[in-house]
Amino acid sequence: MLSLRDLLNRMLQIIPTLIMIMAAVFIIVRLLPGDPASAILGDRGSAEDVARINTQLGLDQPIPVQFLYFVDRVLHGDLGTSITLGVPVAQLILERLPVTLLLTAMAALLAVVAAIPLAFLAAIRRGRGVDLTIGAFFQVGLSMPVFYTGIVFLTIFGAGLRWFPIGGYGDGLGEHLYHLFLPALTLAFSLSAVLMRNLRASIIDVLNADYVDFARSKGLAPRLVLLRHVLRNALVSTVTLFGLSVGTLVGGAVITETVFAVPGVGRLMIESIYGRDYPVVQGLAMTLAVVVSLVFLLVDIVQAMLDPRVSR
Amino acid sequence: MTAVPTSGAAADPRRRRPAIGLIAGLVILGLSLLTAFLPGLVAPHDPLSFDYKAILHGPSLVHPFGTDNFGRDMLSRVIWAYRIDMQIAVFTTLFPILFGTMVGALVGFYDGIAAQIFGRIVDAVITFPFIVLVIAIVAVLGPGLGNMYIAVGMVGWVFYARLIAAEMRVQMRLDYAAAGRVLGYGDVRIIVRHLLPNAIGPVLVYWMTDMALSILLGSALGYLGLGARPPAAEWGVLIADGKNFMTTAWWMTIFPGVAIVLTGLGFSLLGDAVAELLRPRR
């Protein structure tokens, strides 16, 4: 079992990662053509305005000092102000982030719910028709771009059959879940393909392990062997893969939200890019990276709980 | 990584699949490359010429994939898009594989402080949702394919470097690497002539997957208006063009998507087959 010390250790490891994230975002902003002051003011700014903004943002200081200012502001929750909306970026993100989190959580849940039973079925009947059909179906899933899957689902289940709304978010939790179902299904499609393939391979490996033979030979019910021994051990590598896929899932959410007009941070990001609203793009990139690194931390903990060998 | 033979694997009928997968993958990619190099020979019509008498016509003998809202032949547009999308697959991955392999080989071989710094870079890069990072960089540099290559190049090499560094560490523990040192060979000779050829397998497999992923990424950026620019025929751009006509002219969206799926399938079949071929030797 994971000790408190290991847990604290792992949590401390996140600090250099967070510093690297802030450094990366800081550098990307330095790549901006022209200086940030001109980007904020557009063509309207006079030379004095540019100088005033430069002093305000600390841009007349040396780069390392600027970085410290930047870190200080970020740690105080100040991500700047949106150029197009005139609202603090942090406030904007806090309003939109729950939508994206709900969407990715739903997608992750749908992907896991689909992947586990199908992987079992494919592994137990490996090489037979069921396995090959599931394999082929998911092979296509892996090669399908998320925006394409989205458009196809939208046309069939939204516009055609009218089972689901064709966009938006609705009011109240029930409405939210209903509106997000199709986008979540879209996101889940390729993730479940990745998880299914990996889990199927692990289950086949575990099924051949000696301890499973032993569990069988001591007369344990097949269902118990599968649940207690096979699933638990096969899940270890899939949990790792699941954690690593969270970044892809969040990236996919950016595109899915655009296809389904879901008012989350992904759509905000694309809108901000079109509007050249750099503070928002910068704030979002950083927030999403922090969210993903927190999920990585969570995955490490779950992994250590599943496999005691991981927590050394 | 320990080479524990899985006893049941031999009984797995899927073991016969590499041959079929390899052939299928090679055929799909061979035809894709041929189409990419010689689109003019394969395409029945000019992909850019308007025909206002044939607007939004469904699939027929003259236009097997139908026509778009300007009467352009969709089959020809999908075929010409092979040129751009196959270019995306190769160009997006070229710098990452070369630079990543070089850095990974050095980090894996020398270890020490460089490996520590590299470890932190890897942590930070895998924490950024890849597409968010690429979109953010493209947003700063401006839309277009060239900037997409730069954006992917800035981060993509990390994944190759991580793979090759891990594999180098495994290879260095084997006897032949020690033999090279005993014989007094220099570091460069041991890395390039001995270790790299044995460590490159997983990288080649990942490269196949990465090319498929690059097409997905390139078409996603094209769809969002941040990659290839219209009127260039690129699958993502074609799908974006067609999405507003999805209920009336499904062929505008469906066929470019089929091309993406088919090409992706080719890369993953080939990748799986290469992985399977490399496995028994390890």
Side-chain angles (χ1 to χ4, degrees), chain B residues 17-75:
Chain B
R17 278 182 56 211
I20 307 169
L22 184 69
I23 294 167
L26 283 175
V27 168
I28 294 174
L29 289 182
L31 289 176
S32 304
L33 276 174
L34 194 75
T35 313
F37 276 112
L38 301 164
L41 274 187
V42 194
H45 300 274
D46 179 348
L48 296 175
S49 77
F50 295 169
D51 180 357
Y52 291 110
K53 279 181 276 179
I55 285 174
L56 295 178
H57 280 193
S60 63
L61 280 177
V62 190
H63 301 290
F65 285 9
T67 61
D68 71 1
N69 50 325
F70 293 107
R72 292 176 293 197
D73 178 53
M74 279 309 293
L75 175 61

Tab-separated table of all heavy atoms in Angstrom, chain B residues 17-75:
chain	number	residue	atom	x	y	z
B	17	ARG	N	-1.329	-13.280	-38.347
B	17	ARG	CA	-1.740	-12.008	-38.928
B	17	ARG	C	-0.614	-11.140	-39.472
B	17	ARG	O	-0.865	-10.403	-40.425
B	17	ARG	CB	-2.581	-11.219	-37.933
B	17	ARG	CG	-4.021	-11.679	-37.957
B	17	ARG	CD	-4.870	-10.863	-37.018
B	17	ARG	NE	-4.784	-9.437	-37.318
B	17	ARG	CZ	-4.894	-8.498	-36.387
B	17	ARG	NH1	-5.050	-8.835	-35.142
B	17	ARG	NH2	-4.832	-7.221	-36.720
B	18	PRO	N	0.606	-11.176	-38.912
B	18	PRO	CA	1.621	-10.275	-39.434
B	18	PRO	C	1.744	-10.324	-40.946
B	18	PRO	O	1.813	-9.277	-41.586
B	18	PRO	CB	2.903	-10.758	-38.760
B	18	PRO	CG	2.449	-11.343	-37.494
B	18	PRO	CD	1.097	-11.914	-37.747
B	19	ALA	N	1.761	-11.546	-41.523
B	19	ALA	CA	1.921	-11.647	-42.966
B	19	ALA	C	0.780	-10.927	-43.689
B	19	ALA	O	1.025	-10.097	-44.570
B	19	ALA	CB	1.992	-13.106	-43.381
B	20	ILE	N	-0.456	-11.214	-43.249
B	20	ILE	CA	-1.617	-10.576	-43.892
B	20	ILE	C	-1.570	-9.073	-43.638
B	20	ILE	O	-1.738	-8.268	-44.557
B	20	ILE	CB	-2.939	-11.147	-43.327
B	20	ILE	CG1	-2.922	-12.679	-43.434
B	20	ILE	CG2	-4.133	-10.558	-44.050
B	20	ILE	CD1	-4.038	-13.357	-42.673
B	21	GLY	N	-1.304	-8.702	-42.386
B	21	GLY	CA	-1.246	-7.287	-42.007
B	21	GLY	C	-0.155	-6.561	-42.776
B	21	GLY	O	-0.355	-5.448	-43.263
B	22	LEU	N	1.001	-7.222	-42.880
B	22	LEU	CA	2.133	-6.614	-43.585
B	22	LEU	C	1.782	-6.346	-45.044
B	22	LEU	O	1.981	-5.233	-45.551
B	22	LEU	CB	3.349	-7.551	-43.491
B	22	LEU	CG	4.650	-7.031	-44.090
B	22	LEU	CD1	5.183	-5.873	-43.267
B	22	LEU	CD2	5.698	-8.140	-44.158
B	23	ILE	N	1.182	-7.366	-45.681
B	23	ILE	CA	0.834	-7.202	-47.103
B	23	ILE	C	-0.229	-6.117	-47.259
B	23	ILE	O	-0.087	-5.212	-48.087
B	23	ILE	CB	0.349	-8.550	-47.695
B	23	ILE	CG1	1.524	-9.538	-47.693
B	23	ILE	CG2	-0.205	-8.363	-49.103
B	23	ILE	CD1	1.128	-10.958	-47.952
B	24	ALA	N	-1.282	-6.189	-46.411
B	24	ALA	CA	-2.359	-5.196	-46.515
B	24	ALA	C	-1.803	-3.790	-46.287
B	24	ALA	O	-2.102	-2.856	-47.041
B	24	ALA	CB	-3.455	-5.505	-45.505
B	25	GLY	N	-0.969	-3.644	-45.243
B	25	GLY	CA	-0.393	-2.337	-44.931
B	25	GLY	C	0.452	-1.818	-46.077
B	25	GLY	O	0.346	-0.656	-46.472
B	26	LEU	N	1.298	-2.707	-46.633
B	26	LEU	CA	2.173	-2.293	-47.733
B	26	LEU	C	1.375	-1.906	-48.974
B	26	LEU	O	1.699	-0.918	-49.639
B	26	LEU	CB	3.157	-3.427	-48.076
B	26	LEU	CG	4.346	-3.587	-47.114
B	26	LEU	CD1	5.178	-4.797	-47.487
B	26	LEU	CD2	5.206	-2.322	-47.121
B	27	VAL	N	0.310	-2.684	-49.255
B	27	VAL	CA	-0.510	-2.371	-50.442
B	27	VAL	C	-1.167	-1.008	-50.268
B	27	VAL	O	-1.095	-0.135	-51.155
B	27	VAL	CB	-1.564	-3.481	-50.687
B	27	VAL	CG1	-2.593	-3.031	-51.706
B	27	VAL	CG2	-0.883	-4.769	-51.137
B	28	ILE	N	-1.803	-0.794	-49.082
B	28	ILE	CA	-2.498	0.483	-48.846
B	28	ILE	C	-1.515	1.657	-48.946
B	28	ILE	O	-1.767	2.645	-49.652
B	28	ILE	CB	-3.174	0.502	-47.450
B	28	ILE	CG1	-4.299	-0.527	-47.396
B	28	ILE	CG2	-3.720	1.895	-47.130
B	28	ILE	CD1	-4.929	-0.684	-46.025
B	29	LEU	N	-0.363	1.525	-48.269
B	29	LEU	CA	0.589	2.641	-48.263
B	29	LEU	C	1.258	2.816	-49.616
B	29	LEU	O	1.525	3.942	-50.047
B	29	LEU	CB	1.638	2.443	-47.172
B	29	LEU	CG	1.098	2.610	-45.753
B	29	LEU	CD1	2.203	2.456	-44.739
B	29	LEU	CD2	0.440	3.976	-45.601
B	30	GLY	N	1.528	1.692	-50.319
B	30	GLY	CA	2.121	1.773	-51.663
B	30	GLY	C	1.217	2.564	-52.599
B	30	GLY	O	1.651	3.494	-53.291
B	31	LEU	N	-0.086	2.202	-52.576
B	31	LEU	CA	-1.046	2.903	-53.438
B	31	LEU	C	-1.180	4.366	-53.013
B	31	LEU	O	-1.287	5.267	-53.852
B	31	LEU	CB	-2.410	2.209	-53.377
B	31	LEU	CG	-2.486	0.841	-54.074
B	31	LEU	CD1	-3.855	0.205	-53.862
B	31	LEU	CD2	-2.200	0.978	-55.578
B	32	SER	N	-1.146	4.606	-51.676
B	32	SER	CA	-1.263	5.989	-51.184
B	32	SER	C	-0.086	6.822	-51.673
B	32	SER	O	-0.261	7.971	-52.112
B	32	SER	CB	-1.291	6.025	-49.655
B	32	SER	OG	-2.325	5.219	-49.169
B	33	LEU	N	1.111	6.245	-51.590
B	33	LEU	CA	2.308	6.977	-52.023
B	33	LEU	C	2.268	7.248	-53.519
B	33	LEU	O	2.583	8.347	-53.976
B	33	LEU	CB	3.566	6.181	-51.677
B	33	LEU	CG	4.085	6.361	-50.250
B	33	LEU	CD1	5.242	5.430	-49.975
B	33	LEU	CD2	4.504	7.814	-50.010
B	34	LEU	N	1.851	6.221	-54.280
B	34	LEU	CA	1.743	6.371	-55.738
B	34	LEU	C	0.779	7.517	-56.071
B	34	LEU	O	1.079	8.391	-56.893
B	34	LEU	CB	1.234	5.050	-56.326
B	34	LEU	CG	1.365	4.907	-57.832
B	34	LEU	CD1	2.835	4.648	-58.180
B	34	LEU	CD2	0.511	3.759	-58.344
B	35	THR	N	-0.370	7.518	-55.378
B	35	THR	CA	-1.361	8.571	-55.593
B	35	THR	C	-0.783	9.932	-55.213
B	35	THR	O	-1.008	10.930	-55.898
B	35	THR	CB	-2.615	8.300	-54.739
B	35	THR	OG1	-2.981	6.940	-54.907
B	35	THR	CG2	-3.764	9.181	-55.151
B	36	ALA	N	-0.007	9.957	-54.116
B	36	ALA	CA	0.568	11.221	-53.664
B	36	ALA	C	1.577	11.765	-54.675
B	36	ALA	O	1.660	12.973	-54.892
B	36	ALA	CB	1.233	11.029	-52.302
B	37	PHE	N	2.349	10.860	-55.288
B	37	PHE	CA	3.361	11.309	-56.248
B	37	PHE	C	2.761	11.660	-57.606
B	37	PHE	O	3.225	12.583	-58.265
B	37	PHE	CB	4.438	10.229	-56.428
B	37	PHE	CG	5.499	10.291	-55.360
B	37	PHE	CD1	5.628	9.289	-54.423
B	37	PHE	CD2	6.364	11.390	-55.281
B	37	PHE	CE1	6.595	9.355	-53.424
B	37	PHE	CE2	7.334	11.467	-54.289
B	37	PHE	CZ	7.446	10.443	-53.364
B	38	LEU	N	1.731	10.885	-58.017
B	38	LEU	CA	1.184	11.097	-59.356
B	38	LEU	C	-0.326	11.324	-59.324
B	38	LEU	O	-1.085	10.586	-59.963
B	38	LEU	CB	1.487	9.880	-60.246
B	38	LEU	CG	2.967	9.523	-60.424
B	38	LEU	CD1	3.115	8.124	-60.970
B	38	LEU	CD2	3.642	10.538	-61.333
B	39	PRO	N	-0.787	12.341	-58.582
B	39	PRO	CA	-2.239	12.533	-58.497
B	39	PRO	C	-2.858	12.834	-59.861
B	39	PRO	O	-3.988	12.427	-60.148
B	39	PRO	CB	-2.391	13.715	-57.540
B	39	PRO	CG	-1.075	14.410	-57.548
B	39	PRO	CD	-0.040	13.377	-57.862
B	40	GLY	N	-2.098	13.526	-60.724
B	40	GLY	CA	-2.623	13.913	-62.035
B	40	GLY	C	-2.975	12.706	-62.888
B	40	GLY	O	-3.902	12.758	-63.705
B	41	LEU	N	-2.224	11.605	-62.709
B	41	LEU	CA	-2.480	10.403	-63.507
B	41	LEU	C	-3.732	9.671	-63.043
B	41	LEU	O	-4.429	9.047	-63.839
B	41	LEU	CB	-1.292	9.438	-63.363
B	41	LEU	CG	-0.112	9.640	-64.300
B	41	LEU	CD1	0.874	8.484	-64.132
B	41	LEU	CD2	-0.596	9.689	-65.747
B	42	VAL	N	-4.004	9.746	-61.723
B	42	VAL	CA	-5.101	8.962	-61.145
B	42	VAL	C	-6.417	9.744	-61.161
B	42	VAL	O	-7.485	9.173	-61.374
B	42	VAL	CB	-4.760	8.552	-59.688
B	42	VAL	CG1	-5.696	7.466	-59.204
B	42	VAL	CG2	-3.310	8.083	-59.582
B	43	ALA	N	-6.338	11.062	-60.934
B	43	ALA	CA	-7.564	11.866	-60.816
B	43	ALA	C	-8.236	12.039	-62.183
B	43	ALA	O	-7.584	12.386	-63.160
B	43	ALA	CB	-7.224	13.233	-60.227
B	44	PRO	N	-9.574	11.790	-62.219
B	44	PRO	CA	-10.280	11.907	-63.499
B	44	PRO	C	-10.532	13.352	-63.932
B	44	PRO	O	-10.728	13.622	-65.112
B	44	PRO	CB	-11.595	11.175	-63.248
B	44	PRO	CG	-11.795	11.211	-61.776
B	44	PRO	CD	-10.439	11.256	-61.167
B	45	HIS	N	-10.580	14.283	-62.992
B	45	HIS	CA	-10.888	15.687	-63.330
B	45	HIS	C	-9.879	16.624	-62.675
B	45	HIS	O	-9.108	16.213	-61.819
B	45	HIS	CB	-12.294	16.062	-62.838
B	45	HIS	CG	-13.392	15.225	-63.419
B	45	HIS	ND1	-13.990	15.508	-64.614
B	45	HIS	CD2	-13.975	14.082	-62.974
B	45	HIS	CE1	-14.923	14.588	-64.872
B	45	HIS	NE2	-14.922	13.713	-63.887
B	46	ASP	N	-9.970	17.910	-63.051
B	46	ASP	CA	-9.177	18.944	-62.391
B	46	ASP	C	-9.812	19.210	-61.016
B	46	ASP	O	-11.007	19.482	-60.927
B	46	ASP	CB	-9.220	20.215	-63.267
B	46	ASP	CG	-8.430	21.366	-62.630
B	46	ASP	OD1	-8.055	21.246	-61.449
B	46	ASP	OD2	-8.199	22.368	-63.326
B	47	PRO	N	-9.027	19.136	-59.921
B	47	PRO	CA	-9.626	19.270	-58.582
B	47	PRO	C	-10.120	20.678	-58.282
B	47	PRO	O	-10.877	20.896	-57.338
B	47	PRO	CB	-8.478	18.901	-57.649
B	47	PRO	CG	-7.241	19.229	-58.420
B	47	PRO	CD	-7.570	18.926	-59.852
B	48	LEU	N	-9.685	21.670	-59.077
B	48	LEU	CA	-10.032	23.055	-58.760
B	48	LEU	C	-11.038	23.668	-59.732
B	48	LEU	O	-11.508	24.775	-59.515
B	48	LEU	CB	-8.762	23.924	-58.720
B	48	LEU	CG	-7.744	23.578	-57.629
B	48	LEU	CD1	-6.489	24.433	-57.775
B	48	LEU	CD2	-8.343	23.756	-56.248
B	49	SER	N	-11.350	22.937	-60.830
B	49	SER	CA	-12.214	23.575	-61.832
B	49	SER	C	-13.685	23.496	-61.422
B	49	SER	O	-14.193	22.440	-61.048
B	49	SER	CB	-11.991	22.935	-63.201
B	49	SER	OG	-12.633	21.710	-63.279
B	50	PHE	N	-14.327	24.681	-61.457
B	50	PHE	CA	-15.741	24.777	-61.082
B	50	PHE	C	-16.615	24.273	-62.230
B	50	PHE	O	-16.275	24.437	-63.399
B	50	PHE	CB	-16.128	26.239	-60.804
B	50	PHE	CG	-15.417	26.835	-59.611
B	50	PHE	CD1	-15.480	28.207	-59.371
B	50	PHE	CD2	-14.715	26.037	-58.729
B	50	PHE	CE1	-14.840	28.760	-58.260
B	50	PHE	CE2	-14.071	26.593	-57.625
B	50	PHE	CZ	-14.144	27.951	-57.396
B	51	ASP	N	-17.752	23.658	-61.862
B	51	ASP	CA	-18.733	23.285	-62.881
B	51	ASP	C	-20.099	23.613	-62.299
B	51	ASP	O	-20.669	22.842	-61.529
B	51	ASP	CB	-18.625	21.785	-63.206
B	51	ASP	CG	-19.629	21.370	-64.275
B	51	ASP	OD1	-20.434	22.232	-64.708
B	51	ASP	OD2	-19.612	20.195	-64.674
B	52	TYR	N	-20.613	24.818	-62.659
B	52	TYR	CA	-21.850	25.286	-62.027
B	52	TYR	C	-23.075	24.512	-62.473
B	52	TYR	O	-24.166	24.672	-61.942
B	52	TYR	CB	-22.015	26.796	-62.264
B	52	TYR	CG	-20.974	27.588	-61.489
B	52	TYR	CD1	-19.932	28.244	-62.138
B	52	TYR	CD2	-21.020	27.626	-60.101
B	52	TYR	CE1	-18.970	28.927	-61.417
B	52	TYR	CE2	-20.064	28.315	-59.379
B	52	TYR	CZ	-19.034	28.972	-60.037
B	52	TYR	OH	-18.081	29.634	-59.319
B	53	LYS	N	-22.887	23.630	-63.498
B	53	LYS	CA	-24.027	22.803	-63.909
B	53	LYS	C	-24.067	21.497	-63.108
B	53	LYS	O	-24.986	20.706	-63.264
B	53	LYS	CB	-23.925	22.508	-65.412
B	53	LYS	CG	-24.435	23.678	-66.254
B	53	LYS	CD	-24.360	23.365	-67.724
B	53	LYS	CE	-22.973	23.681	-68.196
B	53	LYS	NZ	-22.572	23.484	-69.494
B	54	ALA	N	-23.021	21.275	-62.292
B	54	ALA	CA	-22.958	20.004	-61.538
B	54	ALA	C	-22.741	20.260	-60.056
B	54	ALA	O	-21.943	19.605	-59.417
B	54	ALA	CB	-21.853	19.128	-62.113
B	55	ILE	N	-23.509	21.230	-59.497
B	55	ILE	CA	-23.320	21.559	-58.075
B	55	ILE	C	-24.005	20.517	-57.179
B	55	ILE	O	-25.175	20.180	-57.403
B	55	ILE	CB	-23.846	22.977	-57.791
B	55	ILE	CG1	-22.843	23.995	-58.353
B	55	ILE	CG2	-24.064	23.215	-56.301
B	55	ILE	CD1	-23.271	25.417	-58.286
B	56	LEU	N	-23.272	20.010	-56.186
B	56	LEU	CA	-23.787	19.062	-55.197
B	56	LEU	C	-24.454	17.840	-55.837
B	56	LEU	O	-25.492	17.365	-55.356
B	56	LEU	CB	-24.760	19.752	-54.225
B	56	LEU	CG	-24.159	20.833	-53.329
B	56	LEU	CD1	-25.227	21.474	-52.447
B	56	LEU	CD2	-23.050	20.279	-52.438
B	57	HIS	N	-23.858	17.336	-56.914
B	57	HIS	CA	-24.374	16.101	-57.508
B	57	HIS	C	-23.904	14.912	-56.692
B	57	HIS	O	-22.755	14.849	-56.264
B	57	HIS	CB	-23.879	15.955	-58.950
B	57	HIS	CG	-24.670	16.781	-59.918
B	57	HIS	ND1	-24.586	16.630	-61.283
B	57	HIS	CD2	-25.575	17.778	-59.706
B	57	HIS	CE1	-25.393	17.494	-61.879
B	57	HIS	NE2	-26.000	18.207	-60.942
B	58	GLY	N	-24.783	13.943	-56.491
B	58	GLY	CA	-24.437	12.741	-55.738
B	58	GLY	C	-23.506	11.849	-56.547
B	58	GLY	O	-23.235	12.118	-57.728
B	59	PRO	N	-22.966	10.797	-55.905
B	59	PRO	CA	-22.067	9.884	-56.604
B	59	PRO	C	-22.725	9.300	-57.867
B	59	PRO	O	-23.891	8.911	-57.835
B	59	PRO	CB	-21.817	8.787	-55.567
B	59	PRO	CG	-22.029	9.443	-54.260
B	59	PRO	CD	-23.113	10.445	-54.492
B	60	SER	N	-21.960	9.314	-58.986
B	60	SER	CA	-22.466	8.782	-60.252
B	60	SER	C	-21.274	8.202	-60.999
B	60	SER	O	-20.151	8.239	-60.496
B	60	SER	CB	-23.097	9.913	-61.072
B	60	SER	OG	-22.081	10.867	-61.384
B	61	LEU	N	-21.503	7.702	-62.212
B	61	LEU	CA	-20.390	7.141	-62.994
B	61	LEU	C	-19.388	8.233	-63.382
B	61	LEU	O	-18.180	8.014	-63.386
B	61	LEU	CB	-20.913	6.438	-64.253
B	61	LEU	CG	-21.465	5.024	-64.004
B	61	LEU	CD1	-22.026	4.432	-65.281
B	61	LEU	CD2	-20.400	4.110	-63.405
B	62	VAL	N	-19.906	9.433	-63.696
B	62	VAL	CA	-19.019	10.534	-64.085
B	62	VAL	C	-18.255	11.059	-62.864
B	62	VAL	O	-17.065	11.359	-62.947
B	62	VAL	CB	-19.840	11.696	-64.706
B	62	VAL	CG1	-18.922	12.741	-65.340
B	62	VAL	CG2	-20.837	11.157	-65.718
B	63	HIS	N	-18.963	11.192	-61.729
B	63	HIS	CA	-18.352	11.666	-60.478
B	63	HIS	C	-18.581	10.613	-59.393
B	63	HIS	O	-19.540	10.729	-58.621
B	63	HIS	CB	-18.979	12.993	-60.038
B	63	HIS	CG	-18.843	14.095	-61.040
B	63	HIS	ND1	-17.645	14.696	-61.344
B	63	HIS	CD2	-19.773	14.708	-61.819
B	63	HIS	CE1	-17.834	15.637	-62.260
B	63	HIS	NE2	-19.115	15.668	-62.578
B	64	PRO	N	-17.696	9.610	-59.308
B	64	PRO	CA	-17.938	8.499	-58.358
B	64	PRO	C	-18.092	8.955	-56.908
B	64	PRO	O	-18.800	8.327	-56.130
B	64	PRO	CB	-16.692	7.631	-58.513
B	64	PRO	CG	-16.141	7.973	-59.845
B	64	PRO	CD	-16.471	9.402	-60.088
B	65	PHE	N	-17.435	10.054	-56.509
B	65	PHE	CA	-17.558	10.572	-55.143
B	65	PHE	C	-18.467	11.804	-55.103
B	65	PHE	O	-18.475	12.538	-54.122
B	65	PHE	CB	-16.174	10.955	-54.574
B	65	PHE	CG	-15.306	9.786	-54.162
B	65	PHE	CD1	-15.678	8.481	-54.462
B	65	PHE	CD2	-14.119	9.992	-53.480
B	65	PHE	CE1	-14.881	7.394	-54.096
B	65	PHE	CE2	-13.311	8.921	-53.093
B	65	PHE	CZ	-13.699	7.619	-53.410
B	66	GLY	N	-19.205	12.061	-56.184
B	66	GLY	CA	-20.083	13.226	-56.229
B	66	GLY	C	-19.311	14.518	-56.484
B	66	GLY	O	-18.111	14.497	-56.773
B	67	THR	N	-20.034	15.648	-56.357
B	67	THR	CA	-19.387	16.959	-56.546
B	67	THR	C	-19.681	17.830	-55.330
B	67	THR	O	-20.603	17.564	-54.570
B	67	THR	CB	-19.924	17.682	-57.787
B	67	THR	OG1	-21.332	17.888	-57.607
B	67	THR	CG2	-19.677	16.892	-59.059
B	68	ASP	N	-18.890	18.916	-55.172
B	68	ASP	CA	-19.103	19.802	-54.025
B	68	ASP	C	-19.966	21.000	-54.383
B	68	ASP	O	-20.579	21.036	-55.460
B	68	ASP	CB	-17.759	20.208	-53.391
B	68	ASP	CG	-16.967	21.175	-54.278
B	68	ASP	OD1	-17.461	21.543	-55.365
B	68	ASP	OD2	-15.849	21.552	-53.872
B	69	ASN	N	-20.048	21.982	-53.499
B	69	ASN	CA	-20.938	23.129	-53.697
B	69	ASN	C	-20.476	24.064	-54.814
B	69	ASN	O	-21.159	25.021	-55.138
B	69	ASN	CB	-21.125	23.899	-52.385
B	69	ASN	CG	-19.808	24.219	-51.718
B	69	ASN	OD1	-18.858	23.424	-51.781
B	69	ASN	ND2	-19.721	25.363	-51.076
B	70	PHE	N	-19.299	23.801	-55.391
B	70	PHE	CA	-18.860	24.562	-56.568
B	70	PHE	C	-18.826	23.669	-57.805
B	70	PHE	O	-18.283	24.053	-58.833
B	70	PHE	CB	-17.466	25.162	-56.342
B	70	PHE	CG	-17.442	26.235	-55.285
B	70	PHE	CD1	-16.873	25.986	-54.045
B	70	PHE	CD2	-18.012	27.471	-55.530
B	70	PHE	CE1	-16.866	26.962	-53.060
B	70	PHE	CE2	-18.002	28.458	-54.546
B	70	PHE	CZ	-17.424	28.201	-53.314
B	71	GLY	N	-19.342	22.450	-57.663
B	71	GLY	CA	-19.353	21.519	-58.797
B	71	GLY	C	-18.007	20.868	-59.048
B	71	GLY	O	-17.783	20.272	-60.097
B	72	ARG	N	-17.074	20.975	-58.080
B	72	ARG	CA	-15.769	20.328	-58.252
B	72	ARG	C	-15.899	18.829	-57.973
B	72	ARG	O	-16.668	18.429	-57.089
B	72	ARG	CB	-14.738	20.957	-57.304
B	72	ARG	CG	-14.405	22.379	-57.673
B	72	ARG	CD	-13.476	23.021	-56.681
B	72	ARG	NE	-14.108	23.210	-55.365
B	72	ARG	CZ	-13.637	24.029	-54.431
B	72	ARG	NH1	-12.547	24.729	-54.645
B	72	ARG	NH2	-14.246	24.154	-53.276
B	73	ASP	N	-15.141	18.032	-58.722
B	73	ASP	CA	-15.209	16.583	-58.597
B	73	ASP	C	-14.563	16.144	-57.282
B	73	ASP	O	-13.364	16.363	-57.067
B	73	ASP	CB	-14.492	15.943	-59.792
B	73	ASP	CG	-14.492	14.428	-59.699
B	73	ASP	OD1	-15.586	13.857	-59.533
B	73	ASP	OD2	-13.405	13.829	-59.785
B	74	MET	N	-15.337	15.502	-56.400
B	74	MET	CA	-14.824	15.145	-55.073
B	74	MET	C	-13.744	14.071	-55.140
B	74	MET	O	-12.789	14.093	-54.376
B	74	MET	CB	-15.967	14.664	-54.156
B	74	MET	CG	-16.790	15.765	-53.520
B	74	MET	SD	-15.814	17.049	-52.684
B	74	MET	CE	-15.099	16.153	-51.320
B	75	LEU	N	-13.892	13.106	-56.075
B	75	LEU	CA	-12.879	12.054	-56.193
B	75	LEU	C	-11.519	12.679	-56.499
B	75	LEU	O	-10.508	12.351	-55.863
B	75	LEU	CB	-13.265	11.044	-57.289
B	75	LEU	CG	-12.217	9.970	-57.590
B	75	LEU	CD1	-11.934	9.119	-56.360
B	75	LEU	CD2	-12.667	9.065	-58.740
